[in-house]
Amino acid sequence: MVEYHRVPVADGVALHTAVAGSGSPVVLLHGFPQTHLMWRHVAAELAAGHTVICPDLRGYGASDKPAETGPDVYSKRTMAADVVALARQLGHERFALVGHDRGALVAFRAALDHPANVTQLAVLDVLPTLDMWDVMRGASAAVGFHLYLMAQPPGLPERMIAASADEFFGHFLDVWTRDPAAIPAGVRRAYLDASRAAVPSIVADYRATAGIDLAHDRADRAAGNRLAMPVTVLQQDWGSLLGFDAAALWAAWAPDLRHVPVRAGHFMAEEAPDLVTGEIRDLLVRA
């Protein structure tokens, strides 16, 4: 049975959170342009042996969307602190953490900033912010046009996206999916409705990735900070298309790494839930 909670995690910020199952805790963080619903298949399987916690991130879905009053409001450091506070409020000081896309960047930052709290880390289909910007070069960077659009100062990107929100967010649901049936019409509508209602906060999340998040990653790289826990990365082989070695980039951050190339599309938790669930279960027995 799934229970829903509004969990306060910071001043004026509560996260809409689904909780199911019992046992050791696993927190699942969604990506863009999605909500916690993306975990519906994986969470149902994991709940047989674990307490599964699926929030909408700050600024997304039915969670609170504070105004962007400074770069730190939607920094991954702030959003990671939300996740640690969420787990603690639900009675879990230590937990495994899984993130997809934007949620994976939050999970990565949580694992770097809070290694005593994160027991294992799984990342679905991203690179760390520092590496992502380094590999986006030349004409091939056009695939990430949205990163550059939402990196612009407040105003123009919000107005442009709001003017055609369903087309903008729907574009990514279409081009990043290899199996369209994996995101049925009702779920697609839920994603579009939620994203349309959150344009300023979604843009603020991305804007932080071109600024304060990048600065935080650079500081960790300079200090030699690395991920202290077992890490699994599931990733499409887009490194071969853009000319980089994704496994090598991740190995620089994660000494205990399992890097798995995946043939499913970007939304792999919905397109290949059995694969994703199996890899998470394998990760949870690593220590």
Side-chain angles (χ1 to χ4, degrees):
M1 183 178 70
V2 178
E3 297 181 350
Y4 282 90
H5 307 268
R6 284 194 64 79
V7 182
V9 295
D11 289 344
V13 179
L15 301 187
H16 177 71
T17 305
V19 181
S22 62
S24 61
V26 183
V27 179
L28 306 177
L29 304 180
H30 67 84
F32 161 92
Q34 298 168 293
T35 69
H36 74 282
L37 287 175
M38 65 155 285
W39 295 111
R40 60 195 178 278
H41 305 306
V42 172
E45 292 298 319
L46 291 177
H50 300 275
T51 299
V52 181
I53 301 166
C54 300
D56 288 340
L57 295 167
R58 169 190 294 235
Y60 288 80
S63 289
D64 286 336
K65 304 169 182 64
E68 184 189 13
T69 55
D72 197 52
V73 175
Y74 286 95
S75 74
K76 302 309 146 307
R77 175 158 286 161
T78 296
M79 296 170 79
D82 287 348
V83 173
V84 174
L86 170 69
R88 185 174 290 131
Q89 290 276 47
L90 294 174
H92 307 289
E93 193 66 27
R94 287 168 56 79
F95 53 91
L97 186 54
V98 182
H100 172 254
D101 189 83
R102 307 305 296 171
L105 298 180
V106 176
F108 172 75
R109 176 48 53 191
L112 280 173
D113 286 359
H114 306 276
N117 301 97
V118 179
T119 57
Q120 293 99 357
L121 173 67
V123 167
L124 275 58
D125 216 31
V126 296
L127 292 174
T129 297
L130 177 61
D131 299 299
M132 177 193 73
W133 287 115
D134 281 348
V135 304
M136 300 293 283
R137 299 173 183 272
S140 64
V143 70
F145 78 94
H146 60 300
L147 301 172
Y148 297 91
L149 171 61
M150 290 191 274
Q152 303 309 309
L156 180 62
E158 290 88 344
R159 291 194 297 273
M160 290 179 65
I161 294 168
S164 56
D166 283 9
E167 291 81 1
F168 179 78
F169 295 114
H171 167 80
F172 301 102
L173 295 174
D174 292 336
V175 303
W176 289 350
T177 305
R178 293 188 181 177
D179 177 13
I183 303 180
V187 173
R188 179 188 175 89
R189 177 49 52 192
Y191 291 160
L192 293 179
D193 289 346
S195 297
R196 190 188 322 110
V199 170
S201 51
I202 290 174
V203 175
D205 166 33
Y206 273 86
R207 185 177 289 119
T209 296
I212 193 168
D213 296 341
L214 185 57
H216 290 158
D217 276 13
R218 283 176 175 153
D220 278 312
R221 175 61 56 81
N225 295 333
R226 303 176 82 191
L227 296 164
M229 65 291 299
V231 177
T232 292
V233 175
L234 306 180
Q235 202 152 34
Q236 295 182 94
D237 190 21
W238 42 279
S240 64
L241 300 176
L242 298 180
F244 65 88
D245 184 340
L249 293 176
W250 271 108
W253 291 100
D256 184 357
L257 173 69
R258 172 172 164 77
H259 187 273
V260 183
V262 175
R263 292 186 178 181
H266 178 65
F267 302 111
M268 56 188 66
E270 292 167 287
E271 296 187 56
D274 291 344
L275 169 65
V276 172
T277 302
E279 289 291 343
I280 294 171
R281 284 178 170 148
D282 288 348
L283 171 66
L284 295 177
V285 299
R286 287 163 56 194

